[in-house]
Amino acid sequence: MGPLARTRACLEASLLLGLLLAVPSSARASEIAAQGAPTTSGIVIHDAAETLRDWCRTDEQGLLWLELPGGARYELVTSVDDPAIANQGDGSFHAFDAAEVAAALAAVSYPLGDVAADVFLLPFPRRAGLSSAAGTGLILLSPGVYPLPRTQQHAEVVHELGHVVQRADLPDSDTAAWTRYRALRGILDASVYNADAAHADRPHEIFAEDFRALFGGALATSSGTIENATLTPPDQVPGLEGFLRSLAGPPLAAVLGAVPNPGRGAVVFSLGATAPAVGSRAPLALDLFDVTGRRLATLRSTAAGDGQLWSWDGRDERGRRVEPGVVFARTRDGGASARVVLLP
């Protein structure tokens, strides 16, 4: 968390405020071995209702299980009265808001063209690990026992995204890049900074915090701190941001066209043949958001020569005409975006 301070710190400290589940700190591992098998390209959000309906099963003993695309299964704790829940909060579990998750992802400035992940908003926490967690191509966002503040939701989303990005762009097998990162960060001493160290001293956690601080939006970085207060804030480390950006490869030069803009009613979006995002000619999803980060609609592309087109009728997914104002469009792979002004 560059100018960050409460992402993981907020996760830990917010127990005192009753915002998250009261669990021992040793249970708050934010990484899991499970690997996702993304349902499509890019980053896909599965809200709590969909997760419960399509990805959860009840066994013969009446226990509810989360069954993930990669095959992993986790028992879910369905009641705040369960002994696993130390803080009963207001008596209910409160899932992440899909609109806030989408807004947090849309505000990320890191190139996400090579990142594919399923983001599951859990209706209930996992018994094996009550907090949010991430694996390869997978993010599990755990509910709180009180409604979760927007700042906390954004910070946690981007932190967990940092874990996914690290696995995709800075895998442990790339020892040369890790040596460079450790040197920049001042964490070369493996006796202090290792996977079995205290949470804040784990290199993967430091990376995730750096990612949040440097590339998260205003809400994700609102705390102005990072979990490990002994480290130099990431935005004050010369060369760190450039090094992390370089992990994603050359910057994408894709330009998402929108016509008319500004305009009234229907809009046609286009992506040219030279854009990296259309190199495979595979259909690509285009997500539309309002200024609050609420997803309005998702469009599917059609081929147009060597490029792709998306046609939007100016209505949201429920068929309601979108009010005049600013609409943000972003390809699902994060490779191209546009800002459209709808006139009255």
Side-chain angles (χ1 to χ4, degrees), residues 209-299:
E209 286 289 87
D210 286 348
F211 182 90
R212 179 176 68 90
L214 292 172
F215 305 116
L219 291 176
T221 61
S222 63
S223 67
T225 63
I226 55 175
E227 179 186 3
N228 193 324
T230 68
L231 297 177
T232 303
D235 59 344
Q236 297 178 25
V237 178
L240 180 60
E241 180 175 352
F243 170 75
L244 295 187
R245 284 191 182 277
S246 73
L247 298 175
L252 293 174
V255 175
L256 184 64
V259 178
N261 185 23
R264 298 178 177 86
V267 179
V268 175
F269 298 92
S270 62
L271 203 55
T274 59
V278 299
S280 68
R281 298 286 305 281
L284 183 63
L286 182 71
D287 293 314
L288 306 180
F289 304 92
D290 64 16
V291 293
T292 70
R294 180 174 66 92
R295 186 171 63 83
L296 300 170
T298 296
L299 311 178

Side-chain angles (χ1 to χ4, degrees), residues 149-161:
R150 295 181 69 203
T151 52
Q152 183 174 327
Q153 293 189 59
H154 282 239
E156 195 164 341
V157 167
V158 181
H159 177 97
E160 299 303 343
L161 177 62

